[in-house]
Amino acid sequence: EAMEQQCVSIAKAGVVASLPARCSIIAAANPKHGSYNMSKSVAENLNMARPILSRFDLVFILRDRADEDQDRMVSNNIMNLYRKSNS
């Protein structure tokens, strides 16, 4: 209700109120089969129903192309930072 109608209904102790809701929602999802297929729609890749996906104003796709050298360099950097902080 908060996302669709931008209000929240509350009924407590016989008092019924409808309050305006203003919020931002950030969500993250991984592709259905582990990698994004550019020939499919966003809804198909995320295995998410279109009515749910349509409630988001913006959708950003972040793709990570497989690059063994780059991945090794990033992981080594993270591990070196971790080792330095624990010594």
Side-chain angles (χ1 to χ4, degrees), residues 2-66:
M3 284 179 70
E4 218 172 87
Q5 307 298 326
Q6 282 128 22
C7 69
V8 177
S9 299
I10 300 171
K12 292 283 183 186
V15 177
V16 178
S18 182
L19 305 172
R22 296 182 186 195
C23 64
S24 298
I25 297 175
I26 298 176
N30 288 320
K32 188 176 179 180
H33 296 293
S35 63
Y36 196 85
N37 184 341
M38 294 298 287
S39 65
K40 293 184 178 181
S41 70
V42 173
E44 291 171 323
N45 271 294
L46 300 180
N47 195 25
M48 187 178 292
R50 289 183 193 274
I52 294 172
L53 192 58
S54 71
R55 294 179 182 170
F56 293 94
D57 294 327
L58 300 171
V59 175
F60 293 97
I61 306 299
L62 302 176
R63 294 180 58 215
D64 179 25
R65 292 186 178 85

